[in-house]
């Protein structure tokens, strides 16, 4: 079985994001970048399936600038066998990424696509669903457990009312939730081994995909600063302030 895992290069989750002075976007100059945490969980799960003998090959894919090669090397250090970079300087939106992944899926013929449920930069939560729609593959989102057997993926997913168990026929698209696993620590020997693994670079035009942005960002602004809270001596005072000052009662 072959597993394809899309990974995205994003601003590290420990970094305080700053907006550009002209409001055109987020400032990423000299900012630490890393793999999207949900994609890290996805590549970890694919690696575990390979180690369990369920899968034979794990292919990591990233779409974006040249520096995405670092993200792919990290994915290969975790356990991916090879990587593909769709290199472009164009700002990629979810639909464009989904079309690129669809083209690669048509070429690679994976039995399972495991993606992070969302990226922490735009929080779009769209790419996995769009890939499933474009390819006609069944999908299971927000997955916290995966069991592969008899040509099916039996998954546990979190819903508002608790847990839901689904079986989807392979090939399928699965998006990983936070509780699926805890990614391993990447060791130095594995980082060195990852440098020797194959990394293919293609262009969107090679895949026949137009990645021209369809949406335009008009303005990016920081949220307004929150006012400091106050302490009240009793419930009566709290109710009075909620009614007379906050006007919420």
């Amino acid at each position: 079985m072959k597993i394809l895992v899309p990974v995205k290069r994003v601003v590290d989750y420990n970094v305080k994001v700053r907006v550009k002075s002209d409001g055109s976007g987020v400032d990423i100059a000299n900012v630490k970048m890393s793999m999207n945490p949900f994609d890290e969980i996805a590549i970890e799960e694919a690696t575990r399936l390979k180690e369990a003998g369920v899968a034979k090959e794990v292919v990591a894919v990233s779409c974006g600038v040249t520096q995405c090669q670092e993200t792919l090397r990290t994915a290969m250090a975790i356990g991916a066998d090879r990587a593909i970079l769709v290199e472009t300087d164009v700002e990629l939106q979810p639909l464009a990424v989904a079309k690129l992944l669809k083209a690669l899926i048509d070429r690679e013929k994976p039995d399972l696509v495991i993606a992070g449920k969302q990226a922490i930069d735009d929080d779009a939560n769209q790419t996995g669903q769009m890939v499933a729609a474009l390819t006609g593959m069944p999908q299971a989102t927000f997955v916290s457990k995966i069991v592969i057997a008899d040509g099916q993926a039996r998954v546990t997913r979190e819903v508002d009312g608790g847990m839901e168990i689904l079986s989807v026929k392979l090939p399928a698209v699965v998006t990983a939730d936070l509780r699926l696993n805890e990614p391993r620590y990447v060791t130095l020997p594995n980082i060195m081994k990852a440098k020797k693994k194959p990394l293919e670079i293609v262009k969107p035009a090679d895949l026949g995909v137009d990645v021209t942005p369809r949406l335009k960002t008009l303005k990016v602004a920081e949220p307004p600063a929150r006012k400091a809270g106050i302490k009240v001596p009793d419930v009566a005072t709290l109710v009075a302030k909620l009614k007379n000052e906050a006007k919420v009662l």
Side-chain angles (χ1 to χ4, degrees):
M1 186 174 82
K2 181 192 291 187
I3 303 177
L4 188 141
V5 184
V7 295
K8 186 178 184 181
R9 178 177 180 263
V10 299
V11 175
D12 189 86
Y13 67 92
N14 287 313
V15 173
K16 179 175 173 56
V17 177
R18 301 187 305 272
V19 176
K20 292 181 180 178
S21 57
D22 61 359
S24 62
V26 172
D27 185 8
I28 60 172
N30 301 315
V31 170
K32 181 182 178 183
M33 308 291 283
S34 60
M35 187 188 303
N36 178 48
F38 291 104
D39 298 343
E40 195 173 358
I41 292 170
I43 199 74
E44 171 68 24
E45 190 66 19
T47 301
R48 292 187 184 188
L49 289 171
K50 188 183 73 170
E51 291 172 345
V54 176
K56 289 186 177 181
E57 184 181 27
V58 176
V59 182
V61 176
S62 192
C63 306
V65 295
T66 304
Q67 291 84 342
C68 290
Q69 291 185 41
E70 301 169 10
T71 307
L72 289 171
R73 292 295 179 193
T74 301
M76 289 189 285
I78 293 174
D81 298 291
R82 59 186 175 92
I84 303 171
L85 170 61
V86 184
E87 190 178 37
T88 177
D89 292 328
V90 177
E91 178 191 354
L92 293 175
Q93 295 172 352
L95 181 58
V97 175
K99 288 180 177 179
L100 292 171
L101 293 176
K102 196 264 184 185
L104 288 173
I105 288 169
D106 290 342
R107 191 185 80 174
E108 294 289 332
K109 299 290 192 295
D111 301 285
L112 182 64
V113 177
I114 307 180
K117 71 171 185 177
Q118 65 194 75
I120 62 171
D121 52 1
D122 57 15
D123 275 333
N125 181 24
Q126 294 176 344
T127 305
Q129 292 89 328
M130 287 179 172
V131 169
L134 291 173
T135 59
M137 296 162 66
Q139 62 175 306
T141 56
F142 316 131
V143 168
S144 58
K145 184 178 179 181
I146 304 174
V147 178
I148 307 295
D150 302 324
Q152 292 188 331
R154 182 179 173 86
V155 302
T156 302
R157 59 189 303 268
E158 300 184 7
V159 294
D160 291 340
M163 297 292 185
E164 180 182 50
I165 297 176
L166 298 174
S167 289
V168 290
K169 188 176 180 181
L170 300 179
V173 177
V174 170
T175 65
D177 204 346
L178 188 66
R179 294 171 184 80
L180 181 58
N181 61 54
E182 184 175 341
R184 69 193 67 189
Y185 176 76
V186 180
T187 62
L188 182 59
N190 286 336
I191 293 174
M192 300 306 293
K193 290 177 184 176
K195 293 182 179 180
K196 298 180 180 179
K197 292 182 179 181
L199 194 160
E200 179 187 0
I201 299 177
V202 298
K203 301 290 185 180
D206 300 333
L207 301 173
V209 178
D210 179 13
V211 294
T212 304
R214 294 168 177 256
L215 303 175
K216 181 180 179 181
T217 301
L218 300 179
K219 184 180 180 182
V220 177
E222 293 187 9
R226 297 179 62 180
K227 295 181 180 179
I230 60 172
K231 291 183 178 180
V232 293
D234 51 45
V235 175
T237 306
L238 173 62
V239 172
K241 284 185 175 293
L242 290 174
K243 183 177 181 180
N244 301 322
E245 296 180 16
K247 305 293 184 182
V248 295
L249 291 179

